[in-house]
Amino acid sequence: MTNNVGNTTQRQFDDLVDRARDMVQTMTSLQFAIGDMALEIQPIRHTHTGRDDGIYAALRMFADEIGEVFDTVLTWRRVADAWPVDQRRADASYTIHRVMASHPDRFTLIRQPPQDRRGRWHWTEAAAAKAIGRVSTVSADTQIRKIREMASDDAVASTMAAEFLSRPNIAGRVMADPNTRRRLYQAQRDHDQQVQQAARERTPAIKHVEHSIHFLDLMSAGHTFVTGIKRLMPQIQADPLARGEREVIGHVLDQAQAAIDFCRSVIDTGDLTMDEQLAKLLNEEEP
């Protein structure tokens, strides 16, 4: 009885496999060729930061001109960079090269394909993925380097950042870092200022309203400070502060004096520039 595979006999199936392999080999050559062209247009620059600091405008134009998806061209370029011409294997498909592209021992590993049902030695995608996991686990540094390479384009990076921060555990760990938290707060302030500036340009009357509000806010802040000091000083005189408390308050008063001097300077000159020491003093209590 003849064993069928789908609608074909076993022999027909094997013949189709042989023909398809020849086609896959041709496709592999073409994908590597386009990847090499993309590398020629914009080589991958491996810097000390682990990023590919390439400029993607030319690659986007290249992808558009050949009618391919930009991310696909980036993948072909990355894989071509990972596999120098003399290390590419004609008996392994492009997919196998892509799967192994980030593996540190890929040049040795790809020369050791498993045996298939017909007794021939060749790679499958599943076998390649399994081999990578079996030989060694990709280090955290390698994974981070790969993510940085993928996110070197600002549009890609912003999309990835938004997706990562949508995961509560990651968002929590990010916000636990004071430096990162400060940068995020600064980005939020910058964004708010941009939105406000755009609104002012669309509606000039907003600027006049904001001017009045800022004046009143400044007056209120000054009156609150003066009133609070006048109210508290008699109480402090009656119940003097300990030495440690005096040192803490002394530092806060230094900040207050610096803020007052800075405020006078801005009002008199309109210049918001402050020296490094003053900026450090005023920013100590930032989130």
Side-chain angles (χ1 to χ4, degrees):
M1 182 178 177
T2 303
N3 293 325
N4 286 351
V5 180
N7 291 329
T8 63
T9 65
Q10 184 68 60
R11 182 173 180 177
Q12 289 172 327
F13 177 80
D14 291 340
D15 288 342
L16 291 174
V17 167
D18 291 338
R19 289 167 55 191
R21 279 185 174 175
D22 291 339
M23 295 177 183
V24 168
Q25 187 173 345
T26 300
M27 290 168 56
T28 297
S29 299
L30 294 175
Q31 288 168 298
F32 268 125
I34 297 175
D36 290 335
M37 293 176 190
L39 277 175
E40 185 176 350
I41 293 170
Q42 184 59 63
I44 291 178
R45 302 189 187 115
H46 298 289
T47 67
H48 67 281
T49 62
R51 295 196 306 258
D52 169 8
D53 291 331
I55 301 173
Y56 284 170
L59 291 176
R60 288 187 184 278
M61 184 183 300
F62 179 61
D64 289 341
E65 292 286 342
I66 66 175
E68 264 299 344
V69 178
F70 174 62
D71 288 343
T72 300
V73 171
L74 286 187
T75 298
W76 289 344
R77 171 174 169 264
R78 174 178 62 83
V79 176
D81 179 71
W83 293 95
V85 175
D86 60 347
Q87 296 292 344
R88 299 170 189 175
R89 301 284 296 183
D91 56 351
S93 71
Y94 180 84
T95 298
I96 303 306
H97 287 85
R98 176 179 55 76
V99 170
M100 295 184 176
S102 61
H103 197 282
D105 298 324
R106 57 188 177 278
F107 302 149
T108 301
L109 182 60
I110 201 169
R111 295 189 179 92
Q112 303 168 3
Q115 195 171 21
D116 67 7
R117 61 181 177 81
R118 298 164 67 182
R120 297 188 301 185
W121 302 88
H122 80 99
W123 286 105
T124 65
E125 181 179 11
K130 182 179 179 182
I132 289 176
R134 183 176 67 243
V135 174
S136 68
T137 301
V138 179
S139 68
D141 288 343
T142 300
Q143 295 181 52
I144 292 171
R145 186 165 57 251
K146 184 176 180 181
I147 291 173
R148 282 173 173 164
E149 177 182 330
M150 295 169 60
S152 56
D153 180 90
D154 287 347
V156 175
S158 61
T159 300
M160 292 176 67
E163 183 173 340
F164 291 154
L165 290 174
S166 68
R167 295 155 63 176
N169 289 341
I170 292 180
R173 294 179 65 176
V174 168
M175 294 303 291
D177 179 11
N179 292 328
T180 302
R181 188 169 63 247
R182 186 175 293 110
R183 285 193 290 269
L184 287 172
Y185 287 150
Q186 183 61 52
Q188 180 63 53
R189 286 193 289 267
D190 292 344
H191 174 72
D192 290 345
Q193 289 175 1
Q194 291 173 4
V195 172
Q196 292 170 6
Q197 183 60 36
R200 292 189 196 100
E201 292 174 358
R202 290 195 303 269
T203 312
I206 292 178
K207 186 173 182 179
H208 299 292
V209 174
E210 286 184 336
H211 177 83
S212 299
I213 292 174
H214 294 160
F215 173 75
L216 293 175
D217 283 345
L218 187 58
M219 287 287 292
S220 176
H223 280 304
T224 299
F225 176 74
V226 172
T227 301
I229 293 298
K230 290 169 64 177
R231 176 176 57 83
L232 288 170
M233 285 304 98
Q235 300 177 34
I236 295 298
Q237 186 179 26
D239 185 14
L241 300 176
R243 179 179 178 180
E245 293 172 331
R246 290 199 302 272
E247 291 177 355
V248 172
I249 291 299
H251 181 67
V252 173
L253 290 176
D254 287 341
Q255 286 184 302
Q257 185 61 57
I260 291 171
D261 292 342
F262 178 58
C263 181
R264 286 186 181 279
S265 174
V266 173
I267 290 172
D268 292 341
T269 67
D271 185 6
L272 282 168
T273 305
M274 64 177 79
D275 61 37
E276 186 176 344
Q277 245 183 340
L278 177 60
K280 183 178 178 182
L281 184 65
L282 294 181
N283 286 329
E284 281 185 354
E285 298 302 321
E286 288 290 321

